[in-house]
Structures are given as C-alpha cells and as structure tokens.
Amino acid sequence: MAAVALRSCRRGLSQILSNGGPAALSSQRLEGTRRHKSTVQYASRPDLPKLAYRRVKGKSPGVVFLPGYGSNMNGQKAESLEEFCRSLGHSYLRFDYTGHGASEGVMAEGTIGTWKKDVLYVLDELVEGPQIMVGSSIGGWLMLLAAIARPEKTAALVGISTAADHIVTSFNSLPIESRKEFEEKGEWSVPTKHSEEGHYKFSMDFLREAENHCVLQSPIPITCPVRLIHGLKDEDVPWHISMQVAERVLSPDVDVILRRHGQHRMSEKDDIKLMVYTIDDLIDKLTTLV
C-alpha cells in the first residue's frame, strides 16, 4: 500500500497537493474556496428529525463522509474531502447524524440503529448511484452496516480508525464487578479527550441496542473494495479492530494501512494526504473497471 500512498496524482489532484499537500487544501478553504463552499441544507423526513447536510454535485462514483461519534461534518477530514472531490468533478456529500452538529434531535437519545437509519436515508434519498463511503471511527462501523444493507449503493469503503463493535466489546471486556456497577447505575461513563466534559456517557439501553448491530462475530457480507486506515498510536480504538474487519469481510480486494505515528482522529497533514490518495486510487480503479 506504500505504492498507493506515494503514487503520482492524476486529474486535478496534482494541482491541489503539489504546493504543500493538505496545507494547500486548507489554504484554498481560507482563500478562494469560501465562495464555492457547499451550503448547509436540511432533509425533512416523516416522523424523524431533520438531517443537516452539505452536497457537491458531480460525477460518479460519489463520495459520502460519515463522521465519528460526537463529531460533525465540519471537521478537517470532511472539508478536505469536499475540496478534493470538487477538484475532480465528483459528487460529494457530508452530513450530521441525528443529534449531532446542525441536525435535529438529541445525541444522548440516539442509538447505532438511529444513525444507521440516517446513513441509509442519505444513500436512498440524497445521492445518486453507488458511493464510496468514508467512515471515521464509529462512522466506520456505520459504513459497514450501510454497505450490508445497501450493496447496490456501495462502490467502495474507506475506514478511518474504524470502530466496529468497539463500544460493545469494550464494555464486555470490563471485569464483571465493574459491569454490574455500571448496570446498576444505568450508564457507563468513558473517559475521553474528545469531549468538553472529559467523558462520554452511554446508557445500558444504548449498549443493549448496539449489540444488535455487531458485525465481527461472523463473516461480513461485503464484496466491494475495502481500505482500512488506522494509527498504531490510536488510544481510543485499537488498530487490531481494522485487522478484524479485514479478516471478516468477504471482499477479495481489502487493504489495511497502518500509520506508525497515527492517532485516533487521523487529521494530521500526512494522514489526510494518505486518505485523499487512497480515495483517488479507488476512484481510478472503479472508473477503469467501468
């Protein structure tokens, strides 16, 4: 996969990255890109909260970005991907899950099933044709669930610090005494540096519901190309989860890319550059096959 990371760029990508890599993307966002930046739109759904999203129209395959838990569509990876897709003329969509960012709803009331429905709505109603789904952390888990449910809308998958089953397996790996204590309290508090409060709280109902969406206990019926990027210094989601996903998906085209100094968010310049190169390579592969 080093060849993928180091390959020369094609189409409009070389102009974006030749003058400083992702720094050039940041520069564009601060300068000429402001007038081109996608605007926030809202999707109304019967009996469900409105979903906020930003969309760039363009060629297929399109790219859809799935953020992590507690995150939103305005992160550095999501914005860099928009500039990348715009430069190639490919469609792109980023959005906020229910209870996240600019979308309606309460995050604490959401579940894995809730956010899976959000992704399926995006695939069914807001994009056209097969998509390359790029999932960060819990978004990597959700992209797997969506790919299983909508194989015809899934062209390829790119997982960034994929957190498949992670909440459930982490809780189940606690000592029995600790689990009983949390069950009696009705919630599990997990320390994190990604929240202002310094922790995430998960109710027992959330954990029980999440068990219904675990994917690592058996073969994963996904046959499209899969790329899994993970940092060896990830303190939130162990890199071996990406290895487990790679072992269980049925696709014959699976690559795992481990970043020696990569951390959970994978938002350093070289991390984003690798993500962009990886997606660029997939677009080339998919359009060549067509």
Side-chain angles (χ1 to χ4, degrees), residues 27-39 83:
S27 175
Q28 282 192 4
R29 285 202 304 275
L30 293 173
E31 296 170 8
T33 329
R34 281 181 179 164
R35 62 181 179 273
H36 299 300
K37 189 174 180 179
S38 57
T39 57
E83 295 313 312

Side-chain angles (χ1 to χ4, degrees), residues 246-261:
E247 290 170 356
R248 286 162 175 72
V249 292
L250 298 180
S251 172
D253 185 2
V254 181
D255 289 310
V256 179
I257 308 167
L258 298 177
R259 300 282 292 164
R260 182 178 178 184
H261 299 294

Side-chain angles (χ1 to χ4, degrees), residues 5 7 22 26 32 37 39 53 82 111 120 126 135 150 162 166 201 211 228 245 247 250 255 263 266 281:
R7 61 176 297 157
S26 300
K37 189 174 180 179
T39 57
Y53 66 96
E82 177 169 316
T111 64
L120 295 182
L126 301 182
R150 298 290 189 274
T162 299
H166 180 55
K201 288 185 178 181
E211 288 180 345
L228 300 162
V245 173
E247 290 170 356
L250 298 180
D255 289 310
Q263 300 184 30
M266 296 291 290
D281 183 72

Side-chain angles (χ1 to χ4, degrees), residues 122-125 127-131 133 150-155:
V122 167
L123 294 177
D124 292 341
E125 305 294 337
V127 298
E128 296 181 1
Q131 305 291 310
M133 281 189 277
R150 298 290 189 274
E152 73 283 359
K153 297 300 293 281
T154 307

Side-chain angles (χ1 to χ4, degrees), residues 63 116 147:
V63 177
K116 174 186 172 182

Side-chain angles (χ1 to χ4, degrees), residues 2 7 15 17 23 28-29 53 73 84-85 120 135 198 216 222:
R7 61 176 297 157
Q15 280 117 17
L17 296 180
Q28 282 192 4
R29 285 202 304 275
Y53 66 96
M73 61 177 166
F84 163 65
C85 290
L120 295 182
L216 295 179
I222 291 173

